[in-house]
Amino acid sequence: MLSKYIKSIGQYFIMIYETFRRMTKTSELKRLILQELDDLIISSLGIVVFISFFIGAVIAIQTALNFSNPFVPKSLIGFAARQSIILEFAPTFVAIIMAGKVGSYITSSIGTMRVSEQIDALEVMGINSLNYLVFPKIIAMFMFPFVIAISMFVGIIGAYTASVYGGFLSSEQFLTGLQEDFIPFQLFYAFLKSFVFAIILATVPSFHGYYMKGGSLEVGRAATTSFVWTSVIIIFMNYFITQLLLS
Amino acid sequence: MIKVEDLHKSFEDLEVLRGLNTVFEKGKTNLIIGQSGSGKTVFLKCLLGLFTPDKGTILYNGKAYQNFSKNEKRELSKQMGMVFQGGALFDSMTVEENVVFPLKMFTKMTKGEMKNRVQEVLDRVNLIDTNDKFPSEISGGMQKRVSIARAIVNKPNFLFCDEPNSGLDPRTASVIDNLIQEITHENDITTVINTHDMNSVFEIGENIVYLENGLKTWEGNKDTIYKTDNQKLTDFVYASNLFQKVRIAQREEL
């Protein structure tokens, strides 16, 4: 069992190495990267904006309802919403959502290509299939921090809307709290995390799709396994980076 | 020409190829036949470079594959065309995009030249008005023809086909067989076909290799296969009632 995991980890790093070898023709790569940007990033914006707005709103309402002590300034609602959204919700929560949406898409699309011998067809033609399939996804996912920036912005708008229009505090109080004790390094921390998560989101599902064996049923299984492992690795790396940078 | 010498390939404890020796000649349709599990697909994948043999040599036009430099291996890949069992067409691309793909990847042709060449091969495989269709929108036989068009668009020296007739009706299967044979003769290329289809054997088998448990136990052609004394091959070829009747009729004629 343990040797199986160690073998998989080794195979994963060999895959990363092979991905950057024998590059595909530049004109074709450009087309593939633009296509992946559309499939992985642009098509995810809708769900990210929707979830970010409402989670931001819920964070603000929950915080407001739990600050019943009159000695606690109401501006803390804005402060708490900002901290929750920037530090954890936007980078980590959105990454987990993306593991479900983008991760399963990557695994199933590459897995289907494996099952239908399309990957063999690429290899027979002398094309490095890993570079052709995985490299554009990695490059496209470098835009993931921009998705996170949008998520942060929309989340805070959601928190503002719910708390101000819900009658929990005034607009000035929220904005005061929002700007209170702001540490720019925390933004760096959040974006660094999202960059690491982006690489995990592009490569772990690709690994599960590329090396899958079996038929169409196994493609579904691989997508599920890929979601589980991508989430586990994101959560572990979240802990590791937080311990490294903030503690 | 492809020459195979003492080819061995195993997967963990399972020995699939056990010392194969054969020659696939240029300008001929070379068929590999054998029961399921006899090692045909593994053999074909070794020829394609998708599997590395454990032992033995494969010579392409007289030069051993293991002596090829990286660039030579890449060049060899460009000289190979492959028709996969399921077609293996890129389902996110149209028929035209599928066929133009090898040209886009490996040539410096202009868009106009590529378009002309694609039209030329699509006409050659008798595909009309399908350029903008996706593989899912055309029949299985048409998909096979697109796959053949994609395999020959780069003018390969070696054409490999893995069960090109599987899943096709006898008439379409015969069209595909004849098309492959004509392309082989027209372009004077080395064609290797992996098949279960006895119609193909009797129609286009200019050189036939029979595999049994990873070994070649018989070699001949469509004319000599009638006279074989290899009992297992006879059982394999005449397994279907139709061919048994044909055999009886032939014996009666004799």
Side-chain angles (χ1 to χ4, degrees):
Chain A
M1 191 72 170
L2 186 66
S3 69
K4 190 184 144 198
Y5 286 125
I6 292 169
K7 198 179 163 190
S8 293
I9 292 167
Q11 201 175 18
Y12 171 77
F13 284 107
I14 290 169
M15 182 196 85
I16 304 278
Y17 171 70
E18 289 291 331
T19 300
F20 291 90
R21 288 180 66 230
R22 275 171 52 209
M23 299 297 274
T24 307
K25 203 173 179 181
T26 317
S27 56
E28 184 66 8
L29 264 186
K30 276 184 198 164
R31 187 189 69 79
L32 289 169
I33 290 167
L34 289 174
Q35 195 179 314
E36 297 294 358
L37 270 174
D38 189 33
D39 289 341
L40 305 181
I41 301 292
I42 308 291
S43 70
S44 304
L45 286 178
I47 187 79
V48 167
V49 165
F50 178 79
I51 290 173
S52 301
F53 183 86
F54 285 101
I55 295 286
V58 168
I59 288 171
I61 294 168
Q62 294 276 22
T63 313
L65 292 175
N66 284 289
F67 282 168
S68 53
N69 191 328
F71 292 107
V72 176
K74 288 194 168 178
S75 62
L76 269 184
I77 295 168
F79 173 81
R82 183 199 74 201
Q83 291 298 88
S84 309
I85 290 168
I86 289 181
L87 291 177
E88 275 314 308
F89 166 70
T92 314
F93 201 91
V94 170
I96 301 287
I97 292 163
M98 292 285 270
K101 190 191 176 291
V102 170
S104 52
Y105 164 75
I106 292 175
T107 306
S108 54
S109 60
I110 297 181
T112 306
M113 287 186 77
R114 168 63 74 199
V115 171
S116 58
E117 296 181 305
Q118 292 175 50
I119 292 179
D120 286 344
L122 287 170
E123 289 291 332
V124 168
M125 286 179 205
I127 295 165
N128 177 0
S129 57
L130 278 170
N131 180 262
Y132 184 86
L133 296 171
V134 184
F135 182 77
K137 289 178 175 58
I138 295 175
I139 301 299
M141 285 305 285
F142 282 172
M143 295 295 281
F144 183 61
F146 289 94
V147 176
I148 298 306
I150 291 167
S151 168
M152 287 172 179
F153 179 75
V154 175
I156 287 169
I157 297 282
Y160 176 88
T161 309
S163 51
V164 173
Y165 294 103
F168 294 107
L169 78 172
S170 68
S171 173
E172 290 73 25
Q173 284 173 319
F174 185 89
L175 293 174
T176 306
L178 195 66
Q179 294 168 56
E180 215 169 276
D181 293 333
F182 177 67
I183 304 164
F185 178 76
Q186 289 178 348
L187 266 184
F188 169 77
Y189 155 79
F191 283 120
L192 180 81
K193 265 203 316 193
S194 60
F195 183 75
V196 173
F197 296 162
I199 294 168
I200 294 167
L201 282 167
T203 54
V204 175
S206 297
F207 172 78
H208 281 93
Y210 193 85
Y211 292 106
M212 67 145 293
K213 283 175 186 160
S216 49
L217 195 65
E218 280 72 20
V219 174
R221 281 200 193 121
T224 311
T225 314
S226 139
F227 172 68
V228 172
W229 276 108
T230 310
S231 307
V232 166
I233 296 167
I234 285 172
I235 287 166
F236 174 75
M237 287 308 288
N238 184 36
Y239 166 77
F240 181 74
I241 295 169
T242 306
Q243 184 74 23
L244 197 72
L245 296 182
L246 294 189
S247 67
Chain B
M1 189 185 76
I2 302 171
K3 193 173 182 188
V4 179
E5 290 172 353
D6 194 29
L7 197 70
H8 289 258
K9 179 69 187 170
S10 301
F11 295 95
E12 293 173 359
D13 295 337
L14 182 69
E15 202 177 2
V16 182
L17 301 180
R18 303 186 297 146
L20 263 176
N21 292 286
T22 193
V23 175
F24 297 123
E25 284 174 30
K26 198 179 172 188
K28 276 188 180 178
T29 44
N30 300 278
L31 268 57
I32 306 169
I33 60 169
Q35 290 179 1
S36 298
S38 59
K40 300 188 301 292
T41 302
V42 172
F43 183 28
L44 200 68
K45 289 195 172 181
C46 286
L47 295 175
L48 284 160
L50 290 175
F51 288 157
T52 309
D54 300 331
K55 197 182 150 194
T57 313
I58 303 173
L59 297 105
Y60 297 89
N61 289 338
K63 188 168 180 185
Y65 186 74
Q66 54 261 52
N67 295 338
F68 279 47
S69 67
K70 277 185 182 175
N71 279 341
E72 283 174 327
K73 281 182 184 170
R74 220 167 295 160
E75 283 305 313
L76 180 70
S77 296
K78 291 176 197 171
Q79 290 174 33
M80 287 178 175
M82 173 73 187
V83 179
F84 284 87
Q85 190 174 356
L89 298 175
F90 304 122
D91 41 23
S92 59
M93 297 182 189
T94 62
V95 165
E96 188 173 311
E97 286 167 346
N98 263 287
V99 180
V100 82
F101 186 77
L103 297 178
K104 270 168 71 179
M105 297 302 285
F106 300 115
T107 68
K108 288 178 180 171
M109 282 182 174
T110 62
K111 279 189 178 176
E113 287 169 336
M114 282 193 231
K115 202 166 178 60
N116 288 340
R117 175 67 186 147
V118 168
Q119 203 50 56
E120 196 182 308
V121 289
L122 285 176
D123 288 345
R124 180 66 196 83
V125 297
N126 303 318
L127 278 172
I128 302 151
D129 294 335
T130 52
N131 293 34
D132 298 325
K133 291 194 170 153
F134 285 92
S136 57
E137 296 171 331
I138 57 176
S139 68
M142 285 165 122
Q143 285 182 19
K144 286 280 162 66
R145 281 189 272 165
V146 177
S147 189
I148 294 170
R150 186 178 67 182
I152 62 168
V153 73
N154 239 352
K155 297 181 179 170
N157 290 324
F158 306 99
L159 180 63
F160 300 94
C161 309
D162 188 13
E163 300 193 22
N165 295 335
S166 67
L168 299 180
D169 64 87
R171 191 175 156 78
T172 312
S174 174
V175 169
I176 296 289
D177 278 340
N178 292 327
L179 184 64
I180 293 170
Q181 190 173 39
E182 283 164 21
I183 287 167
T184 305
H185 293 163
E186 278 167 24
N187 302 295
D188 195 26
I189 56 180
T190 309
T191 299
V192 181
I193 304 168
N194 190 349
T195 188
H196 273 129
D197 186 12
M198 287 308 120
N199 284 314
S200 304
V201 170
F202 293 118
E203 260 187 68
I204 59 165
E206 292 172 307
N207 177 37
I208 303 166
V209 172
Y210 177 64
L211 292 193
E212 205 185 315
N213 295 326
L215 278 171
K216 182 185 81 178
T217 55
W218 183 86
E219 189 164 6
N221 57 47
K222 61 182 176 182
D223 299 320
T224 58
I225 201 165
Y226 292 113
K227 299 158 197 162
T228 178
D229 51 3
N230 183 321
Q231 191 54 45
K232 284 197 173 172
L233 174 61
T234 310
D235 293 345
F236 175 72
V237 172
Y238 297 103
S240 92
N241 287 338
L242 175 68
F243 284 108
Q244 276 178 15
K245 284 175 186 167
V246 171
R247 192 187 188 196
I248 292 164
Q250 281 169 344
R251 282 187 175 168
E252 281 170 0
E253 269 181 35
L254 285 170

